[in-house]
């Protein structure tokens, strides 16, 4: 058994532990025996069982799905753009999805999270294509620096449009004030009916591109010589990124830093092979987001910190450390 496979099994075990922790820890602690009873023999008259089934199970499942989606999305964008500092937030993809959701709420009056999905997907797709097109101008093509600058510029512009819509309408401000921070709380199992298939489709598409992304890392010409279909791979990656980023933003709001941190940490153990990077990111991303959500529940004596704030507090120093490294983790 290889070292990377053993590491993947260890990560899977850590995800199970994080899931159990998420089910038991919160404003009211629930012992493991009660959690197990709530999952296997639910007593609807027991308030602790109801709390586990209706509040903590949906919250934990959403954290697992969104964590996997954001981490794999970040790994795909970094490999696709050959930019080690790329992620859905820095390249403006989340800003595009957020703008589209804000438009749906503020202009069209939609408030159900499921109604956000097509708008979030369209916003993520448009920004992804715009950033890549703008970053590809010039004889040098799409360089990491140009893509980052294009993403930051377009992300800032769309964030400004989003703020303008929010400030024009008080009811929109109330809705977006909480959604815009990023949270997995208050979700229901019924909402999985639209989020689960879209995220699974994005994850499968991303894994299908792993071998071709390894070839693309050598350059387009050499990738074609090795038999990789460059154009098809790029289209599939854009579709996967759109599905993952758009659905995540619609489900939980814009959560920053998961997409940039997790692939970097993963590459310290796996090296640049995208097959292992994507597989590890699919497990380590949920571990990080579930634990961040647990920290948010217990960080304050009264109330809780939303998970988007916790990932921001944890992610900012990590991003500074990555920038200060002489050589980022190899792609």
């Amino acid at each position: 058994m290889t070292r990377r496979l053993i590491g993947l099994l260890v990560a899977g075990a850590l995800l199970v532990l994080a899931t159990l922790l998420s089910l038991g820890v919160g404003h009211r602690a629930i012992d493991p025996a009660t959690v197990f009873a709530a999952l296997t023999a639910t007593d609807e008259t027991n308030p602790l069982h109801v709390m586990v089934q209706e509040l903590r199970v949906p919250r934990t499942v959403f954290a697992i799905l969104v964590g996997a989606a954001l981490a794999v999305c970040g790994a795909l964008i970094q490999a696709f753009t050959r930019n080690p500092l790329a992620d859905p937030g820095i390249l403006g993809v989340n800003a595009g999805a957020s703008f589209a959701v804000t438009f749906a709420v503020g202009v069209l009056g939609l408030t159900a999270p499921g109604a956000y999905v097509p708008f979030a997907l369209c916003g993520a797709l448009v920004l992804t294509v715009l950033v890549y097109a703008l970053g590809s101008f010039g004889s040098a093509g799409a360089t990491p620096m140009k893509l980052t600058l294009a993403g930051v510029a377009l992300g800032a512009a769309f964030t400004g449009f989003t703020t303008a819509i929010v400030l024009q309408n008080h009811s929109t401000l109330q809705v977006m004030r909480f959604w815009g921070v990023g949270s997995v709380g208050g979700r229901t199992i019924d909402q999985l009916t639209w989020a689960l298939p879209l995220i699974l489709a994005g994850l499968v598409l991303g894994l299908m591109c792993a071998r071709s992304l390894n070839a693309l890392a050598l350059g387009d010409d050499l990738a074609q010589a090795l038999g990789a279909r460059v154009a098809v791979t790029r289209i599939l990656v854009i579709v996967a990124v759109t599905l993952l980023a758009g659905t995540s933003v619609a489900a939980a709001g814009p959560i920053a830093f998961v997409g940039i941190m997790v692939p970097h940490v993963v590459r310290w153990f796996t090296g640049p092979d995208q097959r292992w990077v994507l597989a590890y990111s699919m497990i380590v991303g949920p571990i990080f987001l579930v634990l961040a959500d647990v920290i948010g529940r217990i960080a304050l004596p009264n109330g809780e910190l939303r998970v988007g704030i916790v990932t921001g507090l944890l992610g900012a120093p990590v991003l500074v450390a990555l920038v200060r490294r002489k050589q980022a983790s190899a792609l």
Side-chain angles (χ1 to χ4, degrees), residues 182-199:
S183 173
V184 292
R187 305 301 188 268
T188 65
I189 286 294
D190 292 340
Q191 293 173 352
L192 285 174
T193 55
W194 55 263
L196 182 62
L198 293 172
I199 289 179

Side-chain angles (χ1 to χ4, degrees), residues 164-287:
I165 295 175
V166 168
L167 293 178
Q168 279 189 335
N169 188 313
H170 181 71
S171 61
T172 305
L173 175 62
Q174 289 299 105
V175 174
M176 302 307 296
R177 187 159 64 101
F178 295 103
W179 177 86
V181 176
S183 173
V184 292
R187 305 301 188 268
T188 65
I189 286 294
D190 292 340
Q191 293 173 352
L192 285 174
T193 55
W194 55 263
L196 182 62
L198 293 172
I199 289 179
L200 288 180
L203 294 176
V204 171
L205 275 179
L207 291 175
M208 289 171 56
C209 297
R211 191 180 294 274
S212 298
L213 287 172
N214 281 338
L216 280 178
L218 303 174
D220 291 358
D221 294 337
L222 190 51
Q224 287 179 333
L226 293 173
R229 293 182 294 177
V230 175
V232 173
T233 301
R234 285 187 171 137
I235 292 172
L236 289 178
V237 169
I238 288 175
V239 172
V241 166
T242 300
L243 288 172
L244 295 172
T247 308
S248 300
V249 171
I255 297 176
F257 293 113
V258 179
I260 189 171
M261 279 193 303
V262 173
H264 272 279
V265 173
V266 162
R267 279 196 292 273
W268 292 341
F269 299 96
T270 67
D273 189 335
Q274 295 302 324
R275 295 171 299 177
W276 288 102
V277 171
L278 293 176
Y280 267 76
S281 296
M282 200 178 299
I283 296 178
V284 177
I287 294 173

Side-chain angles (χ1 to χ4, degrees), residues 27-329:
H27 182 65
R28 180 169 182 176
I30 302 176
D31 63 86
T34 304
V35 171
F36 182 76
L39 295 176
T40 57
T42 306
D43 178 3
E44 295 183 355
T45 63
N46 187 329
L48 294 181
H49 287 200
V50 174
M51 182 184 295
V52 171
Q53 284 286 348
E54 296 188 1
L55 297 179
R56 294 191 182 174
V57 168
R59 183 173 191 153
T60 304
V61 172
F62 263 90
I64 292 172
L65 283 176
V66 172
L70 292 174
V72 171
C73 184
L76 287 172
I77 291 179
Q78 289 174 14
F80 178 67
T81 62
R82 299 169 197 163
N83 183 348
L85 295 180
D87 87 329
I90 290 178
L91 289 188
V93 180
N94 285 350
S98 298
F99 168 75
V101 171
T102 306
F103 180 85
V105 174
V107 179
L108 303 181
L110 303 177
T111 55
Y116 301 163
V117 176
F119 293 91
L121 294 177
C122 289
L125 175 62
V126 169
L127 252 292
T128 302
V129 173
L130 279 178
V131 167
Y132 193 76
L134 189 60
S136 300
F137 280 136
S139 57
T143 65
M145 180 61 72
K146 288 163 61 178
L147 289 170
T148 301
L149 291 174
V152 170
L154 288 174
F158 274 77
T159 299
F161 297 149
T162 301
T163 304
I165 295 175
V166 168
L167 293 178
Q168 279 189 335
N169 188 313
H170 181 71
S171 61
T172 305
L173 175 62
Q174 289 299 105
V175 174
M176 302 307 296
R177 187 159 64 101
F178 295 103
W179 177 86
V181 176
S183 173
V184 292
R187 305 301 188 268
T188 65
I189 286 294
D190 292 340
Q191 293 173 352
L192 285 174
T193 55
W194 55 263
L196 182 62
L198 293 172
I199 289 179
L200 288 180
L203 294 176
V204 171
L205 275 179
L207 291 175
M208 289 171 56
C209 297
R211 191 180 294 274
S212 298
L213 287 172
N214 281 338
L216 280 178
L218 303 174
D220 291 358
D221 294 337
L222 190 51
Q224 287 179 333
L226 293 173
R229 293 182 294 177
V230 175
V232 173
T233 301
R234 285 187 171 137
I235 292 172
L236 289 178
V237 169
I238 288 175
V239 172
V241 166
T242 300
L243 288 172
L244 295 172
T247 308
S248 300
V249 171
I255 297 176
F257 293 113
V258 179
I260 189 171
M261 279 193 303
V262 173
H264 272 279
V265 173
V266 162
R267 279 196 292 273
W268 292 341
F269 299 96
T270 67
D273 189 335
Q274 295 302 324
R275 295 171 299 177
W276 288 102
V277 171
L278 293 176
Y280 267 76
S281 296
M282 200 178 299
I283 296 178
V284 177
I287 294 173
F288 174 69
L289 199 61
V290 168
L291 293 180
D293 186 43
V294 171
I295 292 172
R297 295 181 212 170
I298 60 177
L300 298 177
N302 297 310
E304 66 176 56
L305 280 176
R306 291 175 178 260
V307 69
I309 298 175
V310 178
T311 59
L313 292 174
L314 297 175
V318 174
L319 180 61
V320 172
L322 290 174
V323 172
R324 288 176 59 85
R325 280 168 61 93
K326 291 182 179 179
Q327 184 175 2
S329 302

